[in-house]
Every structure is written in C-alpha cells, then in structure tokens.
Amino acid sequence: MRFAGNVIWFVLGGWYIALFWLVGAAVFAISIVGIPLTIAALQMARLSAWPFGKDVVHIRELDAQGVTPLTAVTGTVGFIANVVWACTFGALLFVSYLVAGVLCCLTIIGIPLGLQAFKLAGISFWPVGRRVVDSELAHVARQENARSKLARYRGAVA
C-alpha cells in the first residue's frame, strides 16, 4: 500500500512540491550559515516526494538521553534558522501543501493523499531539527520517550 500511495503521490505532483524544497536547499547551501536549513530541506524534499511510510520526528525524540550533538541545532541557532525558513520558503510551501490537500480531499479516493499533504503542511514552517524516519521507528521512539517521561513522573510523585 505504501508503494502504491508513493507512486500515486509522486505522479500527481509530489515531485513538483519537492522541487520547492530543493530550490530552498540550493539557495541556503550557498552560505555556511544556511547549512542547517540545507540539511533540513533535503530531508523534507525526500519526504515530500515519497511521504507514505515515513514520519518526521524531532531529533530529541530519537535520542532518549538527550546527549546527541545534533540537538545543538534546535537551540537558538535552530530557532533563528526556522524563522528565516518560515519567512522565505516556509510560507510558500505551507500554502502549496494546503492547496494540494484540499484538492486531494475533494474525492474519497484522494483523502489519504490529502492527509499526507496536511502532514507536510504542518512541518513546512519549522523543518530544522527534524529528521525523516520510517513510521515504525518514529512510533518506537515516541513510545520510549513516553515511558521515560512516565518513569520520571512516577519517581517524582512517589
């Protein structure tokens, strides 16, 4: 089902919206300061072309201990990079995904495609600090983080 969904998505215009991400990556790759944006845009371009079976997680969700060096990108630098992205390419991508989602949801068959478009619209403003992973990995990472938070909560209450 994932393969069929990805092929249909790609043929019906997923490749076209992925080009916006690639243009954004190329623009920000020119400067050293734009490297976090370039990395995020390349990850999201891949997701935009083939969204079924993939999910986006924050890099803190992938590291239960919170010691990965990549988490530094989510601090002030990540915030500034995301603001720059939202003001340049983020708004255009957001509107593109919303239009694609509404058009896909006009038919019953297109609803799964529309839901993917809305998922992508949600991340188009704030891509820095997120990673594209398989849906199963995202689910396991979120479960482990929920378990550790529950354990900390129970330890604080007891």
Side-chain angles (χ1 to χ4, degrees), residues 71-90:
T71 56
V73 144
T74 63
T76 305
V77 173
F79 177 77
I80 292 170
N82 277 321
V83 169
V84 169
W85 180 265
C87 293
T88 55
F89 291 94

Side-chain angles (χ1 to χ4, degrees), residues 9 17 47 51 93-106 110-125 130:
W9 175 267
I17 297 178
L47 177 68
L93 284 163
F94 180 75
V95 171
S96 298
Y97 285 125
L98 282 182
V99 169
V102 169
L103 290 175
C104 288
C105 286
L106 291 177
I111 290 175
L113 299 173
L115 294 177
Q116 291 297 325
F118 293 137
K119 174 179 82 171
L120 291 163
I123 62 169
S124 63
F125 271 126
R130 297 180 186 216

Side-chain angles (χ1 to χ4, degrees), residues 33-44:
V33 178
I35 289 177
L37 288 168
T38 303
I39 293 169
L42 290 174
Q43 290 254 328
M44 298 308 156

Side-chain angles (χ1 to χ4, degrees), residues 2-158:
R2 290 179 184 175
F3 179 75
N6 280 327
V7 168
I8 293 169
W9 175 267
F10 189 81
V11 169
L12 293 178
W15 64 272
Y16 185 70
I17 297 178
L19 286 177
F20 286 131
W21 286 103
L22 293 176
V23 168
V27 167
F28 287 108
I30 294 170
S31 70
I32 293 175
V33 178
I35 289 177
L37 288 168
T38 303
I39 293 169
L42 290 174
Q43 290 254 328
M44 298 308 156
R46 186 180 68 184
L47 177 68
S48 182
W50 309 101
F52 288 90
K54 302 286 184 196
D55 204 353
V56 177
V57 295
H58 198 278
I59 55 177
R60 279 186 251 138
E61 290 178 303
L62 295 175
D63 184 19
Q65 288 78 32
V67 294
T68 301
L70 293 175
T71 56
V73 144
T74 63
T76 305
V77 173
F79 177 77
I80 292 170
N82 277 321
V83 169
V84 169
W85 180 265
C87 293
T88 55
F89 291 94
L92 176 65
L93 284 163
F94 180 75
V95 171
S96 298
Y97 285 125
L98 282 182
V99 169
V102 169
L103 290 175
C104 288
C105 286
L106 291 177
T107 64
I108 293 174
I109 295 172
I111 290 175
L113 299 173
L115 294 177
Q116 291 297 325
F118 293 137
K119 174 179 82 171
L120 291 163
I123 62 169
S124 63
F125 271 126
W126 225 248
V128 176
R130 297 180 186 216
R131 295 291 176 260
V132 177
V133 296
D134 289 334
S135 296
E136 294 84 11
L137 178 62
H139 180 70
V140 169
R142 289 179 179 135
Q143 277 185 330
E144 287 183 15
N145 287 327
R147 282 191 197 111
S148 67
K149 286 180 184 177
L150 181 62
R152 283 193 306 255
Y153 176 74
R154 286 182 176 166
V157 172

